[in-house]
Amino acid sequence: MDMLEFFAREYKEDEWNKYVKCFDKLNIYIEKVPQDIVDVVLTILGNDEGYNWLHAPLHKFDGRNALDLLKTQKGERALKAYIMRLPN
């Protein structure tokens, strides 16, 4: 099973919604990135590093970056499940 499939299956909407509530809402907008993902990633990694992470190739997803994953519902679910595993 590839990692996209693995993380997409692992994703649970209610768990994500609970997780997101742990983070402040930021006044930072990144085009084509849902605000909840912006809030979480930039809080965990910092503004500059978080922005770079969203645009950088992700090894777990065969070099696709977060913006690529967000183009599909399956990719978005996989990305959210992956983000929940980031150390914070």
Side-chain angles (χ1 to χ4, degrees), residues 13-69:
E13 184 80 21
D14 59 324
E15 290 178 19
W16 172 255
N17 290 332
K18 288 177 195 175
Y19 182 74
V20 169
K21 287 180 182 180
C22 297
F23 298 90
D24 292 332
K25 294 182 185 209
L26 304 176
N27 291 321
I28 299 170
Y29 171 78
I30 299 175
E31 188 175 349
K32 298 182 182 178
V33 181
Q35 192 61 46
D36 56 352
I37 292 176
V38 171
D39 295 342
V40 172
V41 171
L42 270 56
T43 299
I44 293 172
L45 299 175
N47 292 355
D48 293 337
E49 186 66 29
Y51 181 86
N52 291 338
W53 184 88
L54 290 166
H55 292 83
L58 299 171
H59 174 72
K60 290 281 187 195
F61 297 106
D62 297 326
R64 290 174 280 188
N65 66 27
L67 297 176
D68 292 333
L69 294 171

Side-chain angles (χ1 to χ4, degrees), residues 1-18:
M1 177 185 316
D2 70 11
M3 290 288 99
L4 180 67
E5 188 67 33
F6 172 81
F7 283 107
R9 286 184 181 192
E10 184 179 80
Y11 176 73
K12 304 285 185 268
E13 184 80 21
D14 59 324
E15 290 178 19
W16 172 255
N17 290 332
K18 288 177 195 175

